Amino acid sequence: MNQPITVKDKQFILSISNEEIQNSIQKVADRINADYAGKEIFFIGVLNGVFMYAADLLKKITVPCQISFTKVASYQGTQSTGTIKQLIGMPEGIEGRHVVILEDIVDTGFTMREILNQLQAHKPADIKIATLLFKPNSFKESYNVDYRAMEIPNAFIVGYGLDYDGYGRNLPDIYTVVN
Ligand code: IMP
Ligand code: MG
């Protein structure tokens, strides 16, 4: 049952089941729904990795909300490059809004730092971060990561939207690389 799978040219083993993922997302949704009671949320998802998480989280949000997306790229293969390319810019109409940024994973935190810098120029009322996954031992920044559905060790993962060189995003569960 826990047989390794191959994604492109690497082996991975199951580490977080879809059921566990859904339970952790429900807990975050409950917190967000309570924290934003009486307010409206403008979610900004960071493509590509966020697409499954954004879809599942939004179905659990009960306060009025809108969602739009931005797109950046920083990874090559299994390494964070530290250089962030902006591929789709920030959406219109951010000024004065309660923004929640949705990310699949905050690793070193460099990508999110860049997104925060750009967002601030659009003058939102406030900004919070809701990441599906957080690697505490890799994080090199000082800003608050407000909502973390799951914290994971410092190993490369794929599945549930996250990719290895573009592959593996379709897997419903999360898998960790075998070294
Ligand atoms: P950071 O800039 O180092 O925080 O990296 C953030 C971005 O790198 C995320 O948005 C992901 O797209 C990607 N990333 C980080 N860790 C992993 C991983 O373990 N698997 C797949 N993608 C990852
Ligand atoms: Mg991402």
Side-chain angles (χ1 to χ4, degrees):
M1 152 149 199
N2 216 348
Q3 285 296 102
I5 60 158
T6 302
V7 177
K8 198 185 169 190
D9 55 5
K10 284 191 190 294
Q11 305 256 89
F12 292 83
I13 48 159
L14 181 65
S15 59
I16 311 172
S17 70
N18 189 267
E19 190 184 350
E20 258 183 274
I21 296 169
Q22 298 302 331
N23 289 340
S24 67
I25 294 175
Q26 184 63 60
K27 286 184 190 140
V28 165
D30 291 345
R31 286 179 56 205
I32 293 175
N33 289 329
D35 292 350
Y36 287 85
K39 292 182 184 164
E40 263 190 32
I41 305 172
F42 189 13
F43 288 104
I44 298 179
V46 184
L47 293 172
N48 288 328
V50 81
F51 74 99
M52 282 206 191
Y53 167 51
D56 285 339
L57 178 75
L58 267 274
K59 285 178 266 185
K60 298 170 169 63
I61 295 297
T62 53
V63 298
C65 65
Q66 296 179 322
I67 185 165
S68 194
F69 296 90
T70 184
K71 181 170 176 176
V72 295
S74 79
Y75 252 65
Q76 249 165 17
T78 60
Q79 290 302 308
S80 189
T81 61
T83 340
I84 286 104
K85 269 195 294 182
Q86 183 82 36
L87 304 173
I88 299 176
M90 284 293 159
E92 299 283 295
I94 292 170
E95 193 171 339
R97 308 294 304 273
H98 301 296
V99 170
V100 176
I101 307 171
L102 300 180
E103 248 290 27
D104 51 354
I105 183 163
V106 176
D107 183 351
T108 60
F110 297 155
T111 306
M112 186 57 73
R113 157 60 53 208
E114 186 59 33
I115 289 163
L116 286 169
N117 287 344
Q118 290 174 13
L119 248 177
Q120 260 136 17
H122 294 264
K123 302 188 174 66
D126 44 61
I127 304 171
K128 285 196 180 181
I129 299 167
T131 187
L132 175 70
L133 296 149
F134 184 67
K135 289 181 179 169
N137 299 328
S138 181
F139 191 61
K140 292 182 180 61
E141 291 284 345
S142 53
Y143 53 81
N144 245 11
V145 181
D146 309 277
Y147 305 102
R148 313 157 179 195
M150 295 176 286
E151 299 202 349
I152 56 167
N154 239 351
F156 189 78
I157 55 164
V158 290
Y160 194 72
L162 289 105
D163 72 302
Y164 165 48
D165 267 358
Y167 295 96
R169 296 194 195 274
N170 54 309
L171 299 163
D173 310 297
I174 291 173
Y175 293 78
T176 302
V177 74
V178 181
N179 289 305

